[in-house]
Amino acid sequence: MILTACGSGDGTGDGTTESGTVEIWLSDWGPEYEPYWEEIAQEFSTDGVDVELRFVGGSDAHQQYVTAISSQTAPCIGLVGNTWVPEFASLGALMPTGQSAEEVQEQYVSAAADSVTYEDEVYGYPWNAAVRALVYRADLFEQAGLEPPATWDDVVEVGEAFQAAYPDMHGFGVAGGGQWYYLPNVWAWGGEIATQEDDGTWVSRMDEPEAVDAYSFYAELLTEHGLSPEGAMNWNGGDLVNAFNQNQIGMFVAGNWDLKSLLLQNPEMEAKVGTAPMPEGPGGSNATFIGGSDFVIFDSCELPDKAKEIVDYILDPQRLVEITSQLGFMPAKLDALELESTSGSYSSELWKVFPDQLETARFVPATPAWGGVEATGELVNALHAIIGGSEPQGVMDGLAQTMDDILGDG
């Protein structure tokens, strides 16, 4: 959908004689959020400048950007998935912000700042942040005398105790179809997913003992401990929410957006649910991926100063919180996050675990080839193979080789 706000002469301006169109591509969250963006577009549509909004969504959103870049029809401003920034920067498609890596670390959540930094240059402005934590049935835990698990070993112990107390339910929701729910366990076990060598090349570390053990442990939650239904091998986030709401599981790893979805579907659950930090692994880490979106200005933008003015306006703390809170996101900008976590929608006992979890969140390996690794599906296929009985080391050796082939081309 494309919406255009035409210049009227009474919007925000700096007295310059700039003219042209500033096209902004935004995620399509639904028509109820469009007035927020339309108001911003109108604010900056001055004499000679029109701000045009396009809402893109669906599984082909990334491809729409790639096609626009290759055909030189990219928008002036884009709100892009944070894992896309290194890729687009490597193509020379993005305009550097002029900030240093140190400056963005002071202004944004650390992992979000990492998402806009490529080869020591900054190419974007983090907008929202998302992380995962543990969600559990606090009411049933209390009745059974259980505490939420602090470690992954505790997940097994508590999960089995939960099943003993509630035989018609499972203790933990395995998400075998969603790599983001278990790939961070490689860090929890003390390993790395991929690292950059001194010569700049990226190398997979998924064949090392920590990664092998992390994948094996997660598979055994299903195969050895029976903490989830058999179908959980293919579950993703939406399946976990449904299973929790249908009283099938007692706890699961959930994104802040998963919890929002859960409570929208079943408001009565708010009095029954609790949250806790991600469990720690034997490596002493409970890091999870940071998800989210970043604003970028494309190198082809003909009105870069106006584009930067618009982005700055959007990132005003109060304005940022206004929209991210509606969407169930957290702002990635530290001053706005402070508002949300102290007096906003993430300040309550139930929600504050998510801003706290941001402190240990990490970004994916910052290589432009990472999208290619994800696209193979091999991060999920490896877990499925181990669940199916294949020898873990051999499976992970194959995964590492596939990753190296892709990373070497990045």
Side-chain angles (χ1 to χ4, degrees), residues 32-98:
E32 64 269 31
Y33 300 107
E34 290 173 9
Y36 172 88
W37 299 108
E38 292 168 8
E39 184 177 333
I40 291 174
Q42 189 63 49
E43 183 76 14
F44 283 89
S45 293
T46 62
D47 282 339
V49 176
D50 295 332
V51 178
E52 185 174 281
L53 306 177
R54 176 176 176 180
F55 296 94
V56 298
S59 59
D60 67 338
H62 173 266
Q63 186 57 48
Q64 290 184 56
Y65 276 103
V66 171
T67 300
I69 291 169
S70 63
S71 62
Q72 298 184 336
T73 58
C76 207
I77 299 170
L79 182 60
V80 303
N82 62 5
T83 61
W84 306 349
V85 176
E87 175 189 358
F88 295 168
S90 74
L91 296 173
L94 302 182
M95 189 173 295
T97 69

Side-chain angles (χ1 to χ4, degrees), residues 8-46:
S8 62
D10 57 358
T12 297
D14 56 9
T16 67
T17 57
E18 284 186 310
S19 62
T21 299
V22 176
E23 186 177 15
I24 307 174
W25 286 15
L26 298 158
S27 300
D28 187 1
W29 292 293
E32 64 269 31
Y33 300 107
E34 290 173 9
Y36 172 88
W37 299 108
E38 292 168 8
E39 184 177 333
I40 291 174
Q42 189 63 49
E43 183 76 14
F44 283 89
S45 293
T46 62

Side-chain angles (χ1 to χ4, degrees), residues 245 259-273 350:
N245 265 333
L259 181 56
K260 180 179 175 66
S261 174
L262 187 157
L263 296 178
L264 283 173
Q265 293 177 31
N266 189 358
E268 294 180 1
M269 190 65 78
E270 187 162 4
K272 304 175 182 179
V273 71
L350 181 63

Side-chain angles (χ1 to χ4, degrees), residues 90-254:
S90 74
L91 296 173
L94 302 182
M95 189 173 295
T97 69
Q99 294 178 291
S100 69
E102 292 75 18
E103 287 174 323
V104 293
Q105 287 287 338
E106 293 174 357
Q107 295 175 0
Y108 299 95
V109 172
S110 179
D114 291 340
S115 77
V116 295
T117 305
Y118 174 68
E119 295 187 346
D120 297 323
E121 190 84 63
V122 179
Y123 288 96
Y125 310 85
W127 183 65
N128 76 300
V131 290
R132 293 174 174 86
L134 190 74
V135 171
Y136 66 99
R137 280 293 297 271
D139 58 335
L140 299 184
F141 270 53
E142 183 177 1
Q143 290 173 25
L146 299 174
E147 294 291 333
T151 69
W152 279 101
D153 284 340
D154 292 343
V155 169
V156 174
E157 182 179 343
V158 174
E160 291 178 341
F162 183 91
Q163 292 183 169
Y166 306 102
D168 293 334
M169 297 179 69
H170 284 82
F172 179 79
V174 166
Q179 66 211 32
W180 306 115
Y181 290 84
Y182 51 85
L183 187 56
N185 285 10
V186 174
W187 296 326
W189 262 250
E192 292 291 340
I193 298 166
T195 53
Q196 192 171 26
E197 303 288 280
D198 291 340
D199 63 0
T201 60
W202 284 85
V203 177
S204 173
R205 303 275 296 276
M206 293 296 284
D207 55 351
E208 296 183 355
E210 296 85 356
V212 176
D213 290 347
Y215 260 57
S216 298
F217 181 92
Y218 197 82
E220 289 169 359
L221 294 175
L222 185 60
T223 61
E224 181 177 330
H225 303 292
L227 294 183
S228 278
E230 289 185 10
M233 173 177 172
N234 296 306
W235 279 4
N236 213 314
D239 301 301
L240 292 172
V241 169
N242 290 336
F244 192 84
N245 265 333
Q246 293 167 13
N247 297 319
Q248 294 180 32
I249 56 175
M251 60 179 165
F252 70 109
V253 170

Side-chain angles (χ1 to χ4, degrees), residues 260-335:
K260 180 179 175 66
S261 174
L262 187 157
L263 296 178
L264 283 173
Q265 293 177 31
N266 189 358
E268 294 180 1
M269 190 65 78
E270 187 162 4
K272 304 175 182 179
V273 71
T275 55
M278 282 288 292
E280 269 192 13
S285 169
N286 77 336
T288 183
F289 283 116
I290 187 166
S293 304
D294 301 330
F295 274 104
V296 295
I297 298 175
F298 284 89
D299 192 61
S300 56
C301 181
E302 296 181 354
L303 298 176
D305 291 341
K306 180 62 69 176
K308 177 61 167 57
E309 188 181 349
I310 293 172
V311 171
D312 286 345
Y313 184 85
I314 291 171
L315 292 177
D316 171 80
Q318 294 285 356
R319 194 167 293 109
L320 184 54
V321 165
E322 178 185 345
I323 185 64
T324 56
S325 61
Q326 291 182 49
L327 291 165
F329 298 149
M330 291 178 289
K333 202 157 178 271
L334 290 176
D335 51 6

